[in-house]
Structures are given as C-alpha cells and as structure tokens.
Amino acid sequence: MGKPILYGMEISTVVRSVLMVAKAIDLDIEYREIDLFAGDHLKEEYLKMNPQHTIPTLDDNGEYLWESHAIAPYLVEKYAKDDSLFPKNDIRKRARINQRLHFDNGVLYGLCIRGIVMPVYTQNKSTISPETIDDVNKAYVHMEKFLEKDLYLVGDSLTIADLACGASISALFEFVPADPAKYPKLLAWFERIKALPYYKEANEKGNIAYIKMVRDLMAKGKQ
Ligand SMILES: N[C@@H](CCC(=O)N[C@@H](CS)C(=O)NCC(=O)O)C(=O)O
C-alpha cells in the first residue's frame, strides 16, 4: 500500500489542520501543493478526485476524501496507534469532539475566516468589517466558555478538535487580537497548541505566509 497523498496549500488553515493531525499520529503522507490561484483545483484530474474542488483532498490509495473535518477523524481511525485524538468507544467524548469540529467549520472557518478574507479576495476590501470583528469576538466568548473547566477543547487531553480550531485561531488571532483580560483561558489554550512539537512546521510557517498574503492584498485594496 502506498502512502496517503494530501493535496492542499499550506496557506490554508483547513489544510494545516490536517497536516497537524498527520504529524500528531506520526503518519507518513505525501503532500502535494495545489495552486488555487493558478486554477489547479479546477483541472480535470483534480475534479475527478473532488468534484467540489476544495482543498484539502486526501487520496488514500485511490479512495478520495475531502473536507478537513472528515479527513481528520478518518486518518486517526485508520492510521493512529491509539485513539486518544478521537476515542473509538467513548460516545459522549466523540460527540463533543464532533460538536467542536462543526463549530470550527461553521463558525471559525465558515463565518469568521471567510468573513475576513472573502471581501479582500473578491471585493478588494482593505479592512475587516465591524460585523465580522463582532462575529470573531463572539466566537472567542464561546471558546472561553468551552475551556472553562478543561485544558483542551474536550477534556484534559489533545483531540482533533484542538488541531482544527488551533489552525483557525492561529489566523484569527492575527487579524482580531484576543483581549487577555476577556479571554485568558483561550489564550492559555493556544499557548499549549503552539507548544506542540510539530506546530511550527505544520502550522506556523503556512500561517505566516497566509497572513502576509492577506495583508498585502488589503494594502493593495487601499491604493
Ligand atoms: N470546510 C472545508 C473548506 C474547504 C475550502 O473551502 N477550502 C478552500 C481553501 S481554504 C478552497 O478549496 N477553495 C477553493 C474552492 O472552493 O474552489 C474543509 O474544511 O475542508
């Protein structure tokens, strides 16, 4: 059996969350960069794998899967040496992890990140709207609450929910800094995510490039 192949762009938060999962379970994957700006995702070969033409897409020996929040549980269930990142038999904990994954997809990524970057990409906007800043702060309030009693988003050990939300938060904190007086638990949790041994390679590098790209576009929008 060959290595699973992951197609993505390192600037993408949802791609980086899967890269962190692969590192966390010590899975040897082949990573192939797709250039959305050059339209690689709209080419026939890519559409055959993923008709929805999104990144990330996983090619696991001819079995294709897209949607980072589906890829992460799949990789853990199929390849991890233990199930700590997504427990097999603890139904309650799995449900809570799924809830946080949906929160990441719907709120952090879908509402907040897209709310910041889509107006920059499609309307040459140079600022973040007050409505989006409000959405992001509301998301921080929710996360502060999720972390009220726990060190991680579900309990006191790392799960795939932390890696998904961690990638999103790494970008959101750059655009909408979190007030330490209001969000001490959220900030402390993110320090724990940043301390993961694979964080720099799998997330920080791509995040720096992402923030620079969006800021450069915002600066152009001002001209
Ligand atoms: N919820 C999806 C989001 C995937 C997504 O929309 N990715 C963007 C890049 S960050 C993309 O592929 N855009 C190109 C397109 O939709 O054609 C996931 O987590 O995988």
Side-chain angles (χ1 to χ4, degrees):
M1 234 179 38
K3 289 183 198 178
I5 303 168
L6 185 74
Y7 293 85
M9 256 182 129
E10 270 192 89
I11 54 167
S12 159
T13 54
V14 286
V15 171
R16 286 186 259 126
S17 73
V18 176
L19 290 173
M20 285 199 281
V21 172
K23 289 280 181 203
I25 62 175
D26 204 17
L27 175 66
D28 191 13
I29 55 165
E30 182 184 332
Y31 175 69
R32 292 191 190 162
E33 188 83 2
I34 280 290
D35 187 348
L36 293 182
F37 301 105
D40 290 351
H41 61 314
L42 302 176
K43 291 186 178 148
E44 203 183 323
E45 315 89 84
Y46 196 78
L47 292 172
K48 272 189 201 147
M49 294 189 295
N50 174 357
Q52 207 183 323
H53 50 76
T54 51
I55 52 167
T57 294
L58 183 77
D59 171 359
D60 190 6
N61 291 279
E63 297 286 344
Y64 305 122
L65 183 64
W66 62 95
E67 177 51 65
S68 66
H69 304 87
I71 298 172
Y74 172 82
L75 289 180
V76 174
E77 295 196 310
K78 182 154 181 198
Y79 292 108
K81 290 169 195 78
D82 67 66
D83 68 352
S84 64
L85 288 175
F86 191 52
K88 276 193 177 66
N89 298 321
D90 186 339
I91 290 177
R92 183 67 204 141
K93 189 161 184 181
R94 279 175 79 88
R96 291 176 68 212
I97 294 170
N98 280 324
Q99 181 272 315
R100 293 343 184 208
L101 290 176
H102 285 283
F103 174 81
D104 180 58
N105 200 17
V107 178
L108 297 182
Y109 176 76
L111 184 68
C112 299
I113 294 180
R114 284 178 64 90
I116 293 169
V117 301
M118 291 316 283
V120 178
Y121 295 160
T122 62
Q123 299 160 40
N124 299 322
K125 293 277 183 202
S126 57
T127 53
I128 305 171
S129 75
E131 292 78 19
T132 297
I133 293 177
D134 195 41
D135 287 336
V136 176
N137 273 294
K138 280 184 186 141
Y140 293 167
V141 170
H142 294 315
M143 290 187 76
E144 188 69 15
K145 195 81 188 158
F146 299 163
L147 290 159
E148 195 172 24
K149 296 195 190 98
D150 297 330
L151 289 177
Y152 291 91
L153 286 172
V154 184
D156 284 334
S157 67
L158 186 82
T159 69
I160 51 175
D162 297 291
L163 300 176
C165 293
S168 299
I169 283 291
S170 68
L172 290 173
F173 274 7
E174 295 293 329
F175 294 122
V176 183
D179 179 347
K182 288 190 190 152
Y183 312 116
K185 289 182 191 291
L186 175 58
L187 284 152
W189 163 82
F190 188 54
E191 288 304 312
R192 285 190 276 281
I193 302 301
K194 285 201 294 187
L196 294 169
Y198 43 83
Y199 178 85
K200 270 196 188 327
E201 188 194 339
N203 191 70
E204 191 174 77
K205 196 159 54 83
N207 198 45
I208 290 169
Y210 183 49
I211 303 305
K212 181 177 179 329
M213 181 196 74
V214 177
R215 288 208 176 120
D216 285 352
L217 288 172
M218 282 176 162
K220 267 196 201 152
K222 278 200 184 116
Q223 287 161 12

